[in-house]
Amino acid sequence: MNDFFVSLMLLGAVSSGGQMPFWEYANQYDLMPRTSGYTAMLNTGMSYDGTKTFQWHWGVSAALRGDSFDGAAFIPDQAYAGVKWRCLSLDLGMKHPYALYYGSSRTLGSLSSTSGNIIMSGNARSMPGYTLSLHPVDFPWTKGHLQIAGAFGDYLMTDARYEGRTLTHNTQMYLIGNFGRFSLTLGIDHWAQWKGTGFADYLRVITGSSAGSGGSQSDRMNVIGNQLGAEKIALSYRGEGWTAGFRHDIPYDDKSGMRFKNFPDGVNTLSFSFDDKDRWVSDIVYEFQYTMWQSGPVHDPETDEHGNPVPWHPGLNFDGRDNYFNNGEFRSGWTHYGMTIGDPLFFPVGTRDGSWNRGITLGVENNRLRAHHLGLSGKIARRLPYRLMATYSINSGTYDWEFQPALRQFSFGFNCEVPLVKAALTLVPGLYFDDGEVLKNAFGATLGIRYVFKNNY
């Protein structure tokens, strides 16, 4: 049956340092206040009915956010409708990206620093568009040992941007191997920003090709638009009452990365999860991020001092200094409404000196880093779901604007749910703090009250 739901959340936030600590607002779809303030969120919709071959769902959510940073703001969060038939689905509108590594309560958020998705973490607002998905389906004659999956979609970035109107395209392709208790997934999650100037250019965008004769010098020598994404490897083992996994997500941001030259960069994730979510500790996620290489420190100039193309010869190297989430022509980079779309540890320009705002953002100022992250979840006294997040990072800025010396940062967050009335009404308290050299030192606290109504149709 379809589950109809309504969720209302009222939350207040206070901070000792002006800006709220990192894990209070990161990976929250830009719905949380950045300074002491409040958020009121409404979420309603209807979920898929898994008992039927043809299914449909829809959802609408919005927030009223207020703080001393930019006053009161109404934020349309989600507005989508979708249908699913067998292994195919189509979603239209604005919808949150998928997330992994939930613990004892999905409403508290993912335990991963990237929500399990380095390119589309849920740190920024959703973009309107469509997504056509192929859910895992058996490859012929493999008896379920081999499956394929993927997605294809196009979206519009709705914020004010340096480059003006910008479209994005996404293609995902996955190969899944099932071998008893083991599962191995190999995949590519490819994104592209472009201006939407014709079908011929669109074909070049979706194939990651160079621009035609009308394109810029850079697009003709490399690839059209701003092409980025991640190569993904995931291995999991299903035990008796528990699951363990390893995942390696490798980011790329140009042609060299698309040719698998970015290793050892990436997010390395170890996870362990009990089926019994009532344990004091039911889920553990540890992540090590390393993004210092970026195809190497050398990228020779593609034009001479007069702007003429440099003839290629074997001694030239156009592969290095990939500069994740930044682009010379799409200068707002991989951001939306001032928030980094992917890995939230890639801080947007203006974070360190306090000039950051939700206006036109010129990319990210920190994409070369080493970071350790721990996420824990379970239930206190087998009754109160909680989530704990702790992240320590050593941040080196970018190749062009290097932090000298590297800047250290520690961020901590803890939130939980306290049921009041048959679990329909809950208190959601949270404690957070930052200590380091990138973000302002601050201690913050939040207190929310959430009401959830569900019914079957």
Side-chain angles (χ1 to χ4, degrees):
M1 301 179 68
N2 292 99
D3 288 329
F4 172 76
F5 61 89
V6 177
S7 172
L8 177 64
M9 173 81 160
L10 302 175
L11 179 142
V14 294
S15 173
S16 65
Q19 181 169 299
M20 290 297 299
F22 179 72
W23 281 122
E24 184 270 340
Y25 62 83
N27 292 341
Q28 298 292 328
Y29 313 107
D30 197 22
L31 300 178
M32 302 297 287
R34 290 296 292 265
T35 63
S36 298
Y38 63 87
T39 293
M41 292 179 281
L42 174 67
N43 183 18
T44 185
M46 190 169 289
S47 62
Y48 280 134
D49 180 356
T51 65
K52 298 180 179 179
T53 301
F54 182 83
Q55 308 173 49
W56 56 276
H57 71 165
W58 62 271
V60 175
S61 58
L64 179 64
R65 183 193 64 211
D67 57 33
S68 60
F69 184 80
D70 55 1
F74 173 76
I75 304 171
D77 179 41
Q78 297 186 102
Y80 65 88
V83 294
K84 183 178 182 182
W85 179 76
R86 296 186 185 274
C87 60
L88 295 174
S89 68
L90 174 65
D91 285 307
L92 303 174
M94 297 187 303
K95 189 173 184 292
H96 291 166
Y98 78 87
L100 301 175
Y101 305 115
Y102 287 107
S104 57
S105 171
R106 293 182 66 88
T107 59
L108 294 178
S110 170
L111 299 178
S112 165
S113 62
T114 66
S115 301
N117 190 342
I118 190 174
I119 302 300
M120 186 68 63
S121 70
N123 192 53
R125 300 187 199 181
S126 302
M127 295 178 282
Y130 74 89
T131 305
L132 178 63
S133 300
L134 173 66
H135 301 275
V137 59
D138 293 351
F139 200 79
W141 307 298
T142 65
K143 298 182 179 181
H145 292 302
L146 188 63
Q147 295 179 308
I148 56 174
F152 188 93
D154 290 282
Y155 314 90
L156 172 66
M157 309 191 88
T158 56
D159 60 340
R161 307 185 65 79
Y162 177 87
E163 59 274 7
R165 178 177 178 268
T166 301
L167 302 179
T168 65
H169 171 78
N170 177 231
T171 300
Q172 301 178 45
M173 296 179 289
Y174 299 97
L175 185 65
I176 305 166
N178 299 301
F179 312 100
R181 294 181 178 271
F182 286 96
S183 176
L184 175 66
T185 300
L186 305 176
I188 293 179
D189 184 8
H190 181 75
W191 289 82
Q193 293 177 294
W194 69 300
K195 300 299 294 181
T197 56
F199 187 68
D201 282 345
Y202 180 65
L203 293 178
R204 292 185 174 95
V205 166
I206 65 177
T207 57
S209 303
S210 301
S213 58
S216 67
Q217 175 70 31
S218 176
D219 283 3
R220 295 198 306 271
M221 298 186 69
N222 293 289
V223 289
I224 189 170
N226 181 24
Q227 308 252 353
L228 68 157
E231 296 132 5
K232 303 187 176 187
I233 304 170
L235 177 67
S236 67
Y237 178 82
R238 184 76 172 92
E240 295 292 342
W242 55 271
T243 303
F246 169 76
R247 185 182 182 94
H248 181 51
D249 292 348
I250 309 170
Y252 64 82
D253 213 317
D254 67 359
K255 186 182 290 186
S256 65
M258 295 164 69
R259 296 198 298 261
F260 307 101
K261 292 188 175 183
N262 284 25
F263 184 82
D265 284 359
V267 180
N268 302 278
T269 304
L270 292 172
S271 62
F272 186 90
S273 177
F274 285 107
D275 295 349
D276 178 8
K277 300 304 180 185
D278 289 336
R279 290 172 173 263
W280 277 82
V281 178
S282 63
D283 296 83
I284 303 172
V285 171
Y286 167 74
E287 291 177 326
F288 174 64
Q289 290 196 34
Y290 182 91
T291 58
M292 298 291 290
W293 176 242
Q294 304 196 17
S295 296
V298 177
H299 186 106
D300 291 322
E302 298 166 0
T303 59
D304 61 22
E305 63 273 17
H306 303 295
N308 300 315
V310 175
W312 184 88
H313 61 78
L316 287 179
N317 182 357
F318 295 152
D319 288 343
R321 305 169 74 95
D322 287 352
N323 206 7
Y324 300 142
F325 294 5
N326 287 323
N327 185 264
E329 297 182 19
F330 289 82
R331 290 188 60 192
S332 286
W334 198 234
T335 68
H336 199 218
Y337 288 92
M339 302 290 286
T340 306
I341 298 172
D343 190 338
L345 297 182
F346 290 6
F347 301 119
V349 169
T351 297
R352 186 187 176 196
D353 65 12
S355 64
W356 176 90
N357 60 70
R358 289 191 173 90
I360 294 178
T361 303
L362 298 181
V364 303
E365 66 183 20
N366 180 63
N367 55 32
R368 298 182 66 236
L369 58 89
R370 292 159 287 168
H372 299 272
H373 170 79
L374 178 66
L376 297 177
S377 181
K379 289 186 178 179
I380 302 171
R382 301 184 67 87
R383 185 172 178 266
L384 309 179
Y386 73 88
R387 182 186 70 153
L388 183 151
M389 307 278 277
T391 308
Y392 176 75
S393 60
I394 302 174
N395 304 276
S396 297
T398 68
Y399 271 118
D400 292 333
W401 301 99
E402 188 172 4
F403 296 158
Q404 289 284 5
L407 305 179
R408 300 176 184 271
Q409 182 65 45
F410 178 75
S411 296
F412 173 88
F414 176 88
N415 57 345
C416 68
E417 294 182 337
V418 182
L420 296 179
V421 182
K422 295 182 180 180
L425 190 67
T426 58
L427 287 178
V428 187
L431 297 174
Y432 311 87
F433 72 83
D434 285 341
D435 182 73
E437 301 165 305
V438 181
L439 305 174
K440 291 183 178 180
N441 292 347
F443 176 84
T446 59
L447 180 61
I449 185 167
R450 177 189 288 118
Y451 173 77
V452 178
F453 170 81
K454 291 184 179 180
N455 204 350
N456 295 326
Y457 288 90

